[in-house]
Amino acid sequence: MLKLLRNNGINKLKSNLIRNYSTKQSIFQALDTFPKRHIGPNENEINEMLKSINTSKLSKKNPNSLEQLIEYTIPKDIRLNRELNIEENKVIGENQLLKDLKKIAEKNKVYRSFIGMGYYGTITPHVIQRNILENPGWYTPYTPYQAEISQGRLESLLNFQTMVSEFTGLPMSNASLLDEATAAAEAMQMCVNISKSKGPFAFLVDKYCHPQTIDTIKTRAEPKGIRIEVVDSKDFKFTEDVVGCIVQYPSSNGVITDYKEMADRAHQANALVVAATDLLSLALLKPPGEWGADIALGNSQRFGVPLGFGGPHAAFFSTKDKYARLLPGRIIGVSKDKQGNSAFRMALQTREQHIRREKATSNICTSQALLANMSAMYAVYHGQQGIKDIANAVHRKAIILAEGIKRLGYTVLDRPFFDTVLIITGDKTDMMIKELESRQINVRQYCSKSISISLDETVTSADISALLNGFSAHASKPLGLSSPEQLEKETSTISVISEEFARQTPFLTHPIFNRYHSEHELLRYIHKLQKKDLGLTTAMIPLGSCTMKLNATTEMYPVSWPEFNSIHPFVPANQSLGYKEMFESISNMLCEVTGFDGCSLQPNAGSQGEYAGLMVIRSYLTSIGQSQRNVCLIPVSAHGTNPASAAMVGMKVVVVDCDTNGNIDVADLKAKAEKHKDTLAALMITYPSTHGVFEEGANDICDIIHANGGQVYMDGANMNAQVGLCRPGDIGADVCHLNLHKTFCIPHGGGGPGMGPICVKSHLAPFLPGHSVVKGVGGERAMSAVSAGPWGSSSILPITYVYLKLMGGQGLKKATQVAILNANYMASRLKDHYKILYTGSHGLVAHEFIIDLRMFKESAGIEAEDVAKRLQDMNFHGPTMSWPVPNTLMIEPTESESKYELDRLCDALILIREEIREIETGKADRKNNVLVNSPHTEKVIVADNWNYPYSRSKAAFPTPATVASKFWPTVGRIDNVHGDKNLVCSCPPLSDYQ
């Protein structure tokens, strides 16, 4: 009987298993689906958190469910009542998606490209590719605002600045900009700022600059009323209104020109000189700072960063010491910590847009840190002699090519050159372009009568032979038996760089560039720096308004595929069909997510998205005869880039008040919109608000603006709370930028790269930005370019593509729901210990929330900075400090963090509240306590002397997690004032590193 019962039980269990499995899915359905990997909490944890929040007290409908949470978080009149139509919600596995994407990638043709124009083939050392580009320890950290846990990449970025300063001969460099073209536009504006003139302004542009640079300069100049004159530099006329000029060195056609006389004339007229230059060429050429340039800039891409169809790459920018406070972008400097040790930090932050707003020198709030670190490591690895050897090899190959082409009967421009040979091809130009393309070779058609060929370090003897064979097909003379090796011998005494152009000064002289030339040494140096930085590999990074979510390995994997990273941005369209297909798919998905009709992928940062969106609005208003509309309404709580961007496009900023609940004061908005109804251009609004709340009446706010003739720009910084639940276009916005490095999983890279595409309504779509080199980009009435690359930082767009495809409509919606759940769960746990500053009408927050610390300054002498630094002792990066409200912390957990990690941060903050209480009750000293002395380094903890009124274990091991695994800040709290008063922005003596 027992045996019979047992058999029946087993059979029943088998039957249930088979029935349950068959009702759920086919055995052929993918098991490696992505949403369950991307979303941190599992279903049991989600239910636990929902019960903790207890939304059932608000309604018995769908008690304690994600649907009910959203019902009481997002206003009903803006909620999306259908699923997003992405991939028709098909379930696809990670492995299959990569196979599908590989097929798309293979539609790109990876030919040999010698087009130049600021983009070159390069050899990325494998030790750098594997250990920086493909290493989450380097690509997942945030911008180094918390310097004590960012010393590794701060040191590397300081190496980058030192490298740039020594190559260019100008002592003050920043930590990179977005691309060469936008750097040139920033230089123009810097010239205006330095002039201190009230205008009018003019800026001279050498016609031999790269065309994409000229185009971007024109874009930036037009709304500011800066007159641009594009002429040959020898014809520059420095009239009274000219504030500066820019030249390309070497020029876009490869010619090396002596600009000293021109620079002298400029300075006599109180105008500044900008040199757009090439780092590798400066290993052989006289640095711009030595012949009179005041500013030097360019693209560091050929220092080990793949072509990537245009980006991302790190632009460099250097100038004289006296202009340091007007330098755009981030600057890394040297200061000291609490114990007097040398420490790195971001310097001169008071000049940035989050403080100066519309008076900022620039709207750029990011850089290209990951790519700058790659280029810096390239210089560290090769050193001065290695870089010289590469530059000499490139130059010699160009001489060999020029000689071979001359022997074929072609005329080569007889001017000094570095790596670019200009060939007069006359009526054979089109024929030669087609001939070379048939041989899988791309060159530049410089004009209707000439071709230019730019060589790089990847060029082989076979490449030279292929080029010569291509030209010989239509040559007037035979090449004979001259091989590249024979030509090398015959041209060994030829030099086209005369002494007047030759570099005499050394570079990369600091020991940091001379001790890591073996792979073992560089590998250890990279990992030594990595261990100093806290990234998502260590802990959650709960920065409000930053969306530090998972950067999945599957998403990152295609970035290294040659079909994506080895293509020049200006190849013929038939060689980039895979990119075209992917761009169209991403654009369509982003339009579906946002409720818009058109999309531009060109802006390569959120700040550039803001700028592009406002420029599109401006173009549209001009087209309908409303060019007088120049007023931009901006809430007082807006991110500093908003007013800075508005000022850049020539708009007048009018600030709108917020009410006591942190929402836009609708009455004040309406009054100001009506007051400026004849000149109102736009409202810039962030939704949910920067206070972490879904404001009621967002669509009414949009109606007010439209009724008074304006357009609505929505800042996409908080899009992670909207995806799949509501859409900016449905709410009433006309344009929105999206931070792909936030909501759509491109990693922050320790301070860049980013992407800021814009989506627009149909009436704005014709004005989406175009490109001067690549036709067919942008709308029918496209404004000029806002970035160097036609599609911005193209090679990181596969990250967003993979994320959207793998999540599908349902997965994206679930991710947003859980992002909101995680924030509300944390707020519910912390509300009895800290005041939650703003909530919605039902007491709930959106995807982030603010805890108020202002009362602790009086009660305990504790400020937000103390709490953030104490969190470093507990293996955490602090939340966003003192923004948008001073002396508060804004926390955004994202959907990717598990309940365990959320609880760990909550427990840490609750413990800190008890430590504050110890000060309030007199148990701990007000001026010598564990908070004001944080963070505590390992060096301090193990020192023989311990002069603190608390134990070492309390300082360094306050939580069970820190006992199990400890992340050590490598420096104590940094003295920011000392760093700004004693500005040092290049590598300090080697003893400071030891």
Side-chain angles (χ1 to χ4, degrees):
M1 178 62 73
L2 288 173
K3 185 176 180 181
L4 179 62
L5 289 172
R6 186 164 58 247
N7 288 340
N8 286 339
I10 291 171
N11 289 334
K12 185 175 182 181
L13 177 61
K14 287 181 178 177
S15 176
N16 287 338
L17 285 172
I18 292 171
R19 182 168 61 252
N20 289 341
Y21 190 86
S22 64
T23 57
K24 288 183 178 179
Q25 61 183 21
S26 163
I27 60 169
F28 297 109
Q29 189 165 328
L31 298 178
D32 62 335
T33 52
F34 184 65
K36 63 187 178 187
R37 306 299 187 190
H38 175 81
I39 297 171
N42 60 37
E43 291 303 317
N44 288 336
E45 291 174 330
I46 288 173
N47 290 330
E48 287 179 32
M49 290 192 287
L50 285 167
K51 288 177 182 177
S52 174
I53 298 169
N54 193 20
T55 55
S56 62
K57 64 187 177 184
L58 298 172
S59 171
K60 298 302 179 185
K61 180 184 177 183
N62 298 320
N64 290 330
S65 65
L66 287 172
E67 289 72 21
Q68 186 184 63
L69 174 66
I70 299 308
E71 181 181 344
Y72 288 99
T73 304
I74 301 180
K76 181 179 180 180
D77 56 357
I78 65 168
R79 288 201 295 268
L80 181 65
N81 294 315
R82 65 170 179 84
E83 298 290 345
L84 289 173
N85 184 21
I86 292 180
E87 275 299 284
E88 299 175 351
N89 294 310
K90 291 187 296 186
V91 177
I92 187 169
E94 296 181 44
N95 188 53
Q96 184 60 50
L97 190 279
L98 287 181
K99 289 181 180 179
D100 294 345
L101 182 56
K102 188 69 172 178
K103 291 179 181 177
I104 295 173
E106 288 170 349
K107 296 178 183 179
N108 294 326
K109 299 175 182 178
V110 187
Y111 289 2
R112 295 293 281 129
S113 288
F114 307 107
I115 299 170
M117 300 173 70
Y119 303 96
Y120 306 90
T122 185
I123 298 173
T124 305
H126 294 135
V127 65
I128 294 175
Q129 176 173 326
R130 176 59 59 89
N131 295 288
I132 294 183
L133 177 63
E134 299 172 351
N135 183 351
W138 281 85
Y139 65 66
T140 65
Y142 189 64
T143 302
Y145 286 115
Q146 293 286 329
E148 297 84 357
I149 52 175
S150 308
Q151 288 296 293
R153 65 190 180 282
L154 284 168
E155 178 176 326
S156 183
L157 290 171
L158 195 71
N159 294 345
F160 177 83
Q161 291 180 181
T162 304
M163 171 190 81
V164 170
S165 291
E166 293 193 7
F167 270 108
T168 61
L170 292 164
M172 179 60 63
S173 168
N174 68 15
S176 77
L177 289 173
L178 302 174
D179 58 45
E180 181 172 342
T182 55
E186 293 288 338
M188 175 190 66
Q189 184 60 53
M190 183 171 162
C191 291
V192 170
N193 296 339
I194 290 171
S195 75
K196 296 182 180 179
S197 167
K198 294 183 179 179
F201 306 108
F203 190 72
L204 307 180
V205 180
D206 186 8
K207 71 177 184 178
Y208 296 110
C209 287
H210 295 319
Q212 69 271 23
T213 298
I214 297 173
D215 197 32
T216 306
I217 288 173
K218 288 179 177 178
T219 306
R220 186 73 65 88
E222 190 271 330
K224 300 290 286 186
I226 302 171
R227 179 174 63 84
I228 298 297
E229 189 174 336
V230 181
V231 294
D232 191 317
S233 61
K234 69 177 186 295
D235 298 323
F236 280 174
K237 291 182 173 55
F238 294 98
T239 54
E240 188 176 348
D241 60 343
V242 173
V243 294
C245 64
I246 184 170
V247 294
Q248 195 86 41
Y249 178 71
S251 67
S252 191
N253 62 8
V255 173
I256 302 169
T257 302
D258 184 356
Y259 293 116
K260 188 176 187 311
E261 184 274 334
M262 180 276 297
D264 290 342
R265 288 194 295 114
H267 294 149
Q268 289 169 8
N270 295 318
L272 299 180
V273 177
V274 181
T277 189
D278 175 275
L279 282 183
L280 189 63
S281 74
L282 297 183
L284 305 182
L285 300 181
K286 184 181 294 184
E290 292 184 13
W291 53 251
D294 302 285
I295 299 168
L297 57 91
N299 187 0
S300 65
Q301 174 267 321
R302 72 190 306 175
F303 273 32
V305 179
L307 283 163
F309 204 47
H313 307 137
F316 61 86
F317 195 108
S318 60
T319 188
K320 297 176 178 177
D321 282 328
K322 62 183 178 180
Y323 302 135
R325 292 184 181 275
L326 293 171
L327 191 65
R330 292 173 179 147
I331 304 172
I332 309 305
V334 183
S335 186
K336 63 181 182 178
D337 72 359
K338 197 166 187 176
Q339 286 74 45
N341 302 306
S342 179
F344 309 116
R345 58 182 282 275
M346 286 169 55
L348 301 180
Q349 290 189 58
T350 53
R351 79 200 202 296
E352 293 190 16
Q353 74 294 123
H354 61 277
I355 292 174
R356 289 183 56 80
R357 297 176 73 81
E358 68 268 24
K359 296 180 181 179
T361 58
S362 168
N363 77 330
I364 291 178
C365 67
T366 192
S367 57
Q368 300 282 25
L370 185 68
L371 300 316
N373 286 326
M374 289 180 67
S375 292
M377 286 298 177
Y378 181 94
V380 169
Y381 198 33
H382 289 295
Q384 177 178 198
Q385 191 57 51
I387 298 292
K388 276 185 178 179
D389 290 344
I390 293 169
N392 273 313
V394 170
H395 180 52
R396 295 301 308 167
K397 290 170 188 175
I399 291 173
I400 291 168
L401 177 66
E403 181 63 22
I405 288 177
K406 286 179 186 175
R407 293 185 182 187
L408 290 170
Y410 294 94
T411 300
V412 174
L413 186 66
D414 188 20
R415 295 283 298 278
F417 61 82
F418 166 61
D419 62 359
T420 299
V421 180
L422 186 66
I423 305 135
I424 310 304
T425 46
D427 296 336
K428 296 180 181 179
T429 302
D430 288 341
M431 186 189 312
M432 282 307 313
I433 294 288
K434 291 176 182 177
E435 176 68 35
L436 291 169
E437 188 176 347
S438 74
R439 297 169 183 257
Q440 299 190 2
I441 296 172
N442 296 315
V443 295
R444 178 187 180 188
Q445 181 173 340
Y446 184 74
C447 67
S448 63
K449 302 293 184 182
S450 64
I451 287 172
S452 68
I453 301 175
S454 297
L455 303 187
D456 55 60
E457 67 169 316
T458 70
V459 171
T460 65
S461 171
D463 291 324
I464 300 291
S465 293
L467 284 163
L468 293 177
N469 288 335
F471 274 91
S472 68
H474 304 283
S476 59
K477 298 179 182 179
L479 182 62
L481 299 177
S482 298
S483 67
E485 288 77 13
Q486 181 64 31
L487 288 169
E488 180 183 7
K489 293 177 183 178
E490 296 174 5
T491 60
S492 60
T493 59
I494 298 176
S495 176
V496 297
I497 298 179
S498 63
E499 189 171 334
E500 67 175 311
F501 295 122
R503 184 179 190 118
Q504 305 297 327
T505 52
F507 57 92
L508 302 184
T509 56
H510 191 277
I512 210 75
F513 299 104
N514 293 282
R515 63 180 293 185
Y516 301 112
H517 296 170
S518 74
E519 181 168 333
H520 246 158
E521 287 300 312
L522 185 69
L523 176 67
R524 290 165 183 161
Y525 180 56
I526 290 172
H527 278 263
K528 183 181 84 169
L529 297 188
Q530 178 189 326
K531 289 190 292 185
K532 296 181 179 185
D533 290 9
L534 190 150
L536 290 173
T537 53
T538 301
M540 70 184 294
I541 301 178
L543 286 158
S545 194
C546 298
T547 315
M548 298 296 291
K549 60 163 61 174
L550 172 70
N551 311 123
T553 306
T554 299
E555 295 160 358
M556 299 298 297
Y557 197 69
V559 172
S560 296
W561 290 350
E563 296 90 346
F564 285 135
N565 75 12
S566 299
I567 299 180
H568 194 285
F570 303 149
V571 299
N574 65 354
Q575 295 178 29
S576 58
L577 297 179
Y579 260 122
K580 180 182 179 183
E581 182 175 336
M582 186 180 68
F583 292 156
E584 289 176 353
S585 181
I586 292 172
S587 297
N588 290 337
M589 289 188 285
L590 293 180
C591 284
E592 169 65 7
V593 165
T594 57
F596 288 111
D597 306 302
C599 178
S600 170
L601 299 172
Q602 191 175 115
N604 53 8
S607 58
Q608 296 303 96
E610 292 180 17
Y611 169 70
L614 291 175
M615 282 294 289
V616 166
I617 288 174
R618 189 174 183 275
S619 297
Y620 165 72
L621 292 173
T622 299
S623 76
I624 61 171
Q626 297 287 305
S627 58
Q628 84 284 357
R629 293 189 174 275
N630 65 347
V631 169
C632 187
L633 302 181
I634 301 179
V636 68
S637 61
H639 194 284
T641 56
N642 286 182
S645 296
M648 282 175 58
V649 303
M651 291 185 182
K652 176 185 175 183
V653 175
V654 174
V655 177
V656 177
D657 292 335
C658 290
D659 62 25
T660 56
N661 294 319
N663 300 323
I664 292 176
D665 186 330
V666 177
D668 186 55
L669 173 78
K670 186 175 182 181
K672 286 172 178 173
E674 291 176 350
K675 178 182 177 181
H676 299 283
K677 64 181 180 180
D678 295 329
T679 55
L680 178 62
L683 164 71
M684 299 186 79
I685 181 175
T686 303
Y687 199 76
S689 73
T690 53
H691 294 136
V693 174
F694 281 98
E695 299 180 41
E696 305 281 348
N699 43 8
D700 295 331
I701 288 172
C702 294
D703 289 343
I704 291 171
I705 300 303
H706 291 146
N708 287 280
Q711 300 286 295
V712 177
Y713 170 92
M714 186 172 285
D715 188 316
N718 290 344
M719 195 67 200
N720 209 52
Q722 287 198 55
V723 178
L725 302 178
C726 58
R727 306 193 302 175
D730 297 339
I731 294 169
D734 300 286
V735 57
C736 175
H737 93 265
L738 300 169
N739 292 308
L740 300 189
H741 51 286
K742 295 182 181 182
T743 311
F744 300 99
C745 293
I746 288 175
H748 285 71
M755 278 289 280
I758 57 172
C759 294
V760 299
K761 287 289 194 179
S762 58
H763 64 284
L764 298 181
F767 306 97
L768 290 172
H771 199 270
S772 62
V773 179
V774 179
K775 305 307 176 186
V777 178
E780 296 172 1
R781 304 173 66 181
M783 57 172 278
S784 50
V786 297
S787 301
W791 296 277
S793 297
S794 305
S795 67
I796 55 176
L797 284 171
I799 301 169
T800 293
Y801 176 90
V802 172
Y803 174 66
L804 289 167
K805 289 285 188 178
L806 284 177
M807 293 297 283
Q810 292 180 356
L812 291 169
K813 178 180 178 180
K814 179 74 170 288
T816 310
Q817 290 173 325
V818 174
I820 293 172
L821 169 66
N822 283 357
N824 279 282
Y825 171 71
M826 288 192 69
S828 71
R829 278 209 62 193
L830 294 173
K831 66 182 180 182
D832 294 333
H833 307 275
Y834 299 92
K835 179 183 178 182
I836 308 301
L837 195 55
Y838 299 113
T839 62
S841 57
H842 297 288
L844 298 171
V845 299
H847 65 309
E848 61 189 6
F849 61 97
I850 298 172
I851 59 174
D852 194 354
L853 307 178
R854 290 174 293 183
M855 67 289 296
F856 300 138
K857 183 174 183 179
E858 181 177 344
S859 68
I862 295 300
E863 300 192 52
E865 183 180 23
D866 301 311
V867 176
K869 304 303 182 188
R870 180 59 174 152
L871 281 169
Q872 295 178 13
D873 285 331
M874 300 178 182
N875 294 6
F876 280 111
H877 189 295
T880 299
M881 289 193 306
S882 295
W883 187 84
V885 180
N887 215 359
T888 63
L889 293 178
M890 181 161 62
I891 300 170
E892 181 184 358
T894 83
E895 71 275 12
S896 297
E897 298 300 340
S898 66
K899 182 175 180 294
Y900 167 82
E901 192 71 354
L902 304 181
D903 283 332
R904 196 168 73 86
L905 179 56
C906 288
D907 292 342
L909 286 166
I910 292 168
L911 176 58
I912 289 172
R913 179 62 186 95
E914 292 307 310
E915 292 175 343
I916 295 173
R917 189 169 285 110
E918 289 177 357
I919 302 170
E920 291 171 328
T921 59
K923 186 176 178 181
D925 187 88
R926 190 178 177 97
K927 295 189 176 180
N928 187 11
N929 57 68
V930 74
L931 281 109
V932 298
N933 292 328
S934 62
H936 299 81
T937 66
E938 187 175 22
K939 186 176 179 180
V940 167
I941 295 297
V942 302
D944 292 337
N945 296 322
W946 182 258
N947 299 317
Y948 300 104
Y950 47 86
S951 69
R952 297 175 196 259
S953 61
K954 180 170 185 172
F957 304 102
T959 65
T962 54
V963 173
S965 177
K966 176 67 178 176
F967 176 87
W968 290 99
T970 52
V971 296
R973 194 174 305 191
I974 293 175
D975 187 337
N976 292 315
V977 174
H978 173 85
D980 281 353
K981 285 184 176 179
N982 303 275
L983 193 62
V984 177
C985 296
S986 58
C987 291
L990 189 62
S991 59
D992 285 4
Y993 295 85
Q994 297 171 337

